[in-house]
């Protein structure tokens, strides 16, 4: 049974940092991808970043490029999202999701992700 569990959310001041974790079970990080998405109440869910677990190549939305870094630990079967220089507009519930289909490349189209975590709240406020 595939399961994704997010952790690491919380309250942080503008300019601060947080590291989110997505612990995966029921599959191993390999020829697949794990992405991070975020959602603010009343708005559509937004893709943030995805990592190709086969070669480690990342992809970022323009809104977070240069501030967020996605990585994976194969041994721990966990994907991380390091978030630096946080802004109030980064406030959202952050979800990780897994695309277990082997593809030539991965992006942030939600319909390609088969499994989702429950989310973790990130609040950026002074």
């Amino acid at each position: 049974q595939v399961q994704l569990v997010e952790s690491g959310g919380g309250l942080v001041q503008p300019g601060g940092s947080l590291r989110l974790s997505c612990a995966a079970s029921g599959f191993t990080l390999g020829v697949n991808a794990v992405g991070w998405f975020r959602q603010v109440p009343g708005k559509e869910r937004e893709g943030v970043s995805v990592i190709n677990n086969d070669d480690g190549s990342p992809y970022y939305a323009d809104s977070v490029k240069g501030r967020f870094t996605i990585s994976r630990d194969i041994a721990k079967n966990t994907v991380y999202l390091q978030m630096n220089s946080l802004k109030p507009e980064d406030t959202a519930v952050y979800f990780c999701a897994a695309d277990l289909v082997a593809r030539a490349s991965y992006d942030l189209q939600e319909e390609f992700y088969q499994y989702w975590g429950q989310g973790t709240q990130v609040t950026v406020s002074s």
Side-chain angles (χ1 to χ4, degrees):
Q1 181 180 357
V2 173
Q3 194 171 16
L4 301 167
V5 179
E6 303 97 336
S7 61
L11 173 64
V12 64
Q13 291 187 342
S17 299
L18 281 175
R19 188 177 80 157
L20 304 183
S21 300
C22 175
S25 59
F27 71 99
T28 55
L29 303 183
V31 186
N32 49 53
V34 170
W36 286 96
F37 296 78
R38 64 188 182 186
Q39 188 168 26
V40 175
K43 294 189 176 181
E44 290 188 357
R45 192 154 49 190
E46 173 192 17
V48 174
S49 181
V50 57
I51 187 164
N52 181 330
N53 290 313
D54 189 24
D55 61 12
S57 58
Y59 175 84
Y60 300 98
D62 288 343
S63 58
V64 305
K65 204 171 291 184
R67 300 188 298 123
F68 290 11
T69 302
I70 193 169
S71 62
R72 77 217 193 287
D73 186 325
I74 299 292
K76 294 183 178 180
N77 219 43
T78 299
V79 172
Y80 303 98
L81 186 68
Q82 177 67 43
M83 306 186 295
N84 298 328
S85 302
L86 283 162
K87 306 174 182 180
E89 51 264 42
D90 294 318
T91 295
V93 177
Y94 283 71
F95 301 88
C96 64
D99 179 358
L100 302 188
V101 175
R103 304 183 196 276
S105 63
Y106 296 92
D107 59 25
L108 293 169
Q109 296 186 62
E110 287 190 37
E111 59 267 30
F112 291 154
Y113 291 81
Q114 301 87 34
Y115 301 95
W116 293 79
Q118 293 300 306
T120 185
Q121 176 70 45
V122 171
T123 303
V124 184
S125 174
S126 55

